[in-house]
């Protein structure tokens, strides 16, 4: 019997060998430095990754990325690839906030220009972008209009005057994944989601005005329109109550179907169904609907962000050159072609709190960046840096074309509320030159930078392994939160 403790197999690489006595079908591979590893060992991250390794049809290895921490069933910062024919699809392997993702806008404004009107700008953004728990968006959708959003994704928003087709060109899946089916979505998900389209939400979602503090890869930065000293905007949000309800609905469906398919797992939170089963197809079509909802949502927030900048700086969008750099999805499962044991195989790659990081010349990358590699956006917490990375070939061998999606929590929300006050957090941000507008006290306190791992350490592991390498470091100067 093998040890259940991770052993070091290389720089920033650890492994737990497959142990059939524990039902493991593949090893667990963990990418971390020593302090990040210690944090993972202090919660259920590693145990959950071991449980994931027991899901029927999993191939290669169960992956934990450097931002890994415990989640629902699967660790957040986890990647699992299942054989598309014989393997499973698992709602817990995608998570509740389906297509929680980030998009980055660039501008030609200097830090100096923006600082002179920072409070005015952040206040305008805060008043024009709906945020907070259960916040309502700015559009009222009929049943059939919601169907259009769920099928057309970002294109629905663009067709309704929110931005242009240039934006769709630089979204993962061009902001619209085919084969979404609104008929597979419950009435409850519709009721929760319809009023929330065009809202930021709460929790770790935010909109940040940032400055480009460091450029590490000049060629890639130039291609993305990123220059040191200029201002960028990062928008981090997902599918709101809509995606949450889709996940809840299909976790129930999967739990009930496991007996029918004779699936036995060490943790019922891993509930899954065969990818090609009727239940698996239904979940995929509903999940794809939520993906499209989230892309449309982020597109609307982008439009209102541009409008705020136009108002405050009294310049047109083209004067400001506010182009979308890229939009990545974090919580997603889709079929991709990967090499396993030397053969190309179709796999259902579950990325939960993980970002796709494909290298150059993959068809899935927008033509603008195809010969370069996929831009990767890694948001930090609201008081620390975020990073732009570039997908690299090692990601294909090590992590099924994936890297970390953020800093990763180290402190529960309730512990943050016990240990910090709103004034403490605002003062420490203010001391760093960061102005924040938030709807609630908890929204500030729960997201205190101290509740997160050091994003630079997380990014260094990715960079050193050649999964995704550093392009530029972005530092916040203004934040809005729910």
């Amino acid at each position: 019997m093998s040890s259940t403790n991770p052993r070091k197999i290389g720089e920033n690489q650890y492994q737990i060998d497959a142990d059939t006595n524990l039902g493991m079908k593949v090893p667990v591979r963990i990418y971390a430095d020593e302090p990040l590893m210690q944090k993972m060992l202090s919660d259920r991250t590693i145990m959950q990754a071991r449980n994931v390794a027991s899901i029927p049809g999993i191939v290669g290895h169960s992956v934990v990325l450097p931002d890994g921490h415990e989640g629902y069933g699967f660790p957040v910062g986890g990647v699992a690839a299942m054989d598309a024919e014989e393997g499973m699809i698992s709602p817990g392997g995608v998570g509740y906030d389906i297509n929680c993702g980030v998009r980055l806008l660039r501008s030609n404004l200097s830090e100096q220009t923006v600082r002179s009107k920072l409070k005015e700008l952040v206040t305008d953004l805060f008043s024009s972008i709906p945020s907070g728990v259960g916040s309502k968006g700015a559009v009222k959708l009929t049943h059939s209009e919601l169907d259009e959003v769920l099928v057309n994704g970002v294109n629905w928003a663009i067709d309704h005057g929110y931005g242009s087709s240039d934006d769709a060109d630089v979204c993962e899946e061009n902001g619209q994944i085919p084969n979404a089916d609104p008929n597979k979505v419950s009435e409850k998900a519709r009721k929760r989601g319809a009023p929330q389209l065009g809202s930021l939400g709460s929790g770790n979602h935010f909109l940040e005005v940032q400055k480009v503090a460091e450029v590490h890869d000049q060629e890639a930065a130039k291609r993305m329109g990123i220059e040191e000293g200029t201002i960028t905007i990062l928008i981090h949000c997902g599918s709101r109550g809509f995606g949450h309800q889709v996940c809840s609905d299909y976790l129930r469906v999967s739990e009930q179907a496991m007996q029918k398919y004779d699936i036995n797992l060490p943790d019922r939170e891993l509930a899954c169904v065969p990818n090609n089963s009727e239940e698996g197809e239904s979940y995929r079509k509903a999940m794809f609907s939520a993906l499209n909802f989230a892309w449309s949502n982020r597109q609307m927030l982008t439009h209102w962000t541009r409008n705020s900048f136009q108002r405050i700086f009294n310049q047109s969008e083209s004067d400001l050159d506010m182009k979308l750099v890229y939009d990545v999805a974090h919580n997603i499962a889709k079929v991709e072609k990967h090499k396993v044991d030397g053969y190309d195989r179709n796999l259902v790659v579950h990325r939960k709190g993980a970002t796709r990081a494909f290298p150059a010349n993959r068809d899935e990358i927008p033509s603008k960046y195809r010969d370069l590699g996929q831009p990767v956006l890694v948001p930090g917490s609201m008081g620390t840096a975020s990073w732009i990375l570039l997908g690299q070939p090692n990601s294909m061998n090590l992590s099924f074309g994936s890297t970390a999606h953020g800093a990763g929590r180290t402190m529960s929300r309730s512990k943050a509320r016990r240990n910090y006050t709103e004034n403490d957090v605002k003062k420490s941000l203010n001391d760093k030159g960061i102005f924040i507008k938030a709807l609630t006290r908890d929204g500030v306190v729960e997201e205190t930078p101290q509740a997160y791992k050091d994003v630079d350490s997380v990014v260094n592991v990715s960079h050193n392994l050649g999964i995704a390498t550093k392009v530029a470091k972005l530092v916040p100067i203004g934040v809005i939160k729910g």
Side-chain angles (χ1 to χ4, degrees):
M1 176 167 161
S2 75
S3 162
T4 55
N5 287 328
R7 61 186 172 86
K8 195 163 186 176
I9 58 167
E11 193 57 37
N12 295 148
Q13 293 193 56
Y14 297 81
Q15 182 161 307
I16 300 171
D17 295 332
D19 183 341
T20 48
N21 293 323
L22 295 172
M24 291 170 71
K25 295 171 173 58
V26 295
V28 173
R29 194 74 65 78
I30 304 137
Y31 304 118
D33 62 17
E34 191 56 43
L36 291 171
M37 188 66 187
Q38 289 311 315
K39 288 200 176 90
M40 292 177 195
L41 288 166
S42 72
D43 65 20
R44 292 162 59 230
T45 308
I46 306 299
M47 188 181 89
Q48 288 185 331
R50 235 173 41 216
N51 290 342
V52 169
S54 66
I55 295 175
I58 188 169
V59 303
H61 42 264
S62 164
V63 176
V64 183
L65 293 161
D67 57 339
H69 57 99
E70 72 176 76
Y72 182 91
F74 281 64
V76 178
V79 179
M82 317 287 174
D83 184 274
E85 298 305 314
E86 286 143 32
M88 303 288 144
I89 189 165
S90 170
V94 172
Y96 280 98
D97 193 358
I98 298 168
N99 190 0
C100 175
V102 278
R103 55 169 49 195
L104 182 73
L105 289 159
R106 63 166 304 282
S107 79
N108 57 18
L109 293 168
S110 68
E111 182 192 355
Q112 200 179 351
T113 304
V114 172
R115 279 219 183 264
S116 67
K117 293 192 166 183
L118 183 62
K119 287 192 172 168
E120 210 182 323
L121 174 65
V122 172
T123 306
D124 193 85
L125 285 163
F126 188 69
S127 63
S128 54
I129 291 174
S131 63
V133 179
S135 52
K136 300 277 190 280
V139 286
K140 294 266 184 291
L141 297 174
T142 64
H143 197 280
S144 64
E145 282 170 336
L146 180 60
D147 282 357
E148 286 174 27
V149 172
L150 302 182
V151 171
N152 297 326
V154 88
N155 297 317
W156 179 89
I158 290 165
D159 291 345
H160 286 76
Y162 301 96
S164 74
S165 58
D166 291 352
D167 295 332
D169 294 343
V170 284
C171 290
E172 189 169 326
E173 297 296 330
N174 296 114
Q176 188 237 342
I177 197 161
N179 302 320
D181 183 354
N183 295 319
K184 302 298 181 189
V185 173
S186 71
E187 200 48 47
K188 193 171 178 187
R190 289 171 160 279
K191 280 204 171 76
R192 280 185 72 182
Q196 294 184 332
L197 185 69
S199 65
L200 189 62
S202 61
N204 63 349
H205 296 158
F206 61 75
L207 185 148
E208 271 186 7
V209 180
Q210 307 166 321
K211 64 171 179 185
V212 181
E214 299 167 12
V215 171
H216 293 256
D217 181 335
Q218 292 294 345
E219 187 203 344
K222 191 173 176 193
R223 190 78 73 84
M224 296 176 199
I226 297 297
E227 263 178 72
E228 202 168 322
T230 58
I231 291 296
T232 57
I233 300 94
L234 196 75
I235 299 171
H236 179 207
C237 71
S239 51
R240 307 287 284 108
F242 183 86
H244 194 283
Q245 192 59 47
V246 166
C247 180
S248 298
D249 292 341
Y250 281 96
L251 276 168
R252 255 197 319 280
V253 168
S254 304
E255 274 182 36
Q256 286 160 3
M258 287 204 336
Q259 204 169 352
K260 168 175 153 186
Y261 295 111
D262 195 25
I263 299 165
N264 295 301
L265 293 167
D267 180 358
R268 70 177 188 82
E269 290 184 359
L270 297 176
C272 56
V273 289
N275 181 47
N276 289 338
S277 65
E278 190 186 336
E279 295 89 345
E281 286 292 334
S282 294
Y283 167 63
R284 187 187 352 271
K285 289 170 175 174
M287 185 236 315
F288 284 2
S289 299
L291 294 177
N292 288 336
F293 182 99
W295 277 310
S296 189
N297 190 30
R298 287 200 287 277
Q299 185 62 32
M300 293 166 81
L301 303 186
T302 301
H303 176 69
W304 293 323
T305 299
R306 286 169 170 154
N307 284 353
S308 273
F309 272 79
Q310 287 171 37
R311 273 194 297 276
I312 299 301
F313 297 102
N314 205 14
Q315 291 184 49
S316 71
E317 191 185 307
S318 57
D319 287 342
L320 296 164
D321 205 18
M322 290 183 74
K323 291 200 169 66
L324 182 59
V325 176
Y326 200 62
D327 176 305
V328 288
H330 290 161
N331 296 344
I332 190 166
K334 51 188 174 178
V335 174
E336 298 170 353
K337 211 178 229 60
H338 289 266
K339 260 197 174 41
V340 180
D341 303 327
Y343 296 98
D344 276 342
R345 282 169 76 172
N346 283 330
L347 306 176
V348 187
V349 181
H350 295 68
R351 293 190 180 93
K352 179 177 179 178
T355 301
R356 199 178 71 182
F358 280 172
N361 305 319
R362 284 280 300 212
D363 291 345
E364 295 94 335
I365 301 175
S367 53
K368 182 179 180 183
Y369 302 123
R370 196 163 297 156
D371 62 331
L372 187 68
Q374 181 200 302
V376 173
L377 308 170
V378 182
S381 61
M382 62 189 180
T384 62
S386 297
W387 283 88
I388 307 172
L389 308 179
L390 193 64
Q392 298 293 353
N394 265 1
S395 72
M396 303 311 284
N397 316 320
L398 295 179
S399 57
F400 297 101
S402 317
T403 192
H405 86 306
R409 284 194 87 89
T410 58
M411 188 189 290
S412 71
R413 291 189 159 88
S414 55
K415 189 174 176 188
R417 285 197 301 274
R418 286 196 302 276
N419 290 359
Y420 295 94
T421 68
E422 183 179 17
N423 286 343
D424 290 342
V425 179
K426 282 188 166 172
K427 184 181 180 319
S428 79
L429 292 175
N430 201 33
D431 291 347
K432 293 180 186 169
I434 302 166
F435 178 63
I436 178 169
K437 287 282 285 184
L439 201 62
T440 62
R441 181 192 72 88
D442 286 354
V444 176
V445 175
E446 289 173 4
E447 297 302 310
T448 177
Q450 288 85 345
Y452 285 86
K453 296 176 187 177
D454 173 23
V455 72
D456 294 354
S457 314
V458 169
V459 163
N460 285 336
V461 171
S462 174
H463 182 85
N464 296 341
L465 287 169
I467 292 176
T469 52
K470 297 176 184 179
V471 175
K473 182 175 183 170
L474 314 170
V475 175
I477 63 171
V479 184
I480 73 163
K481 292 198 67 64

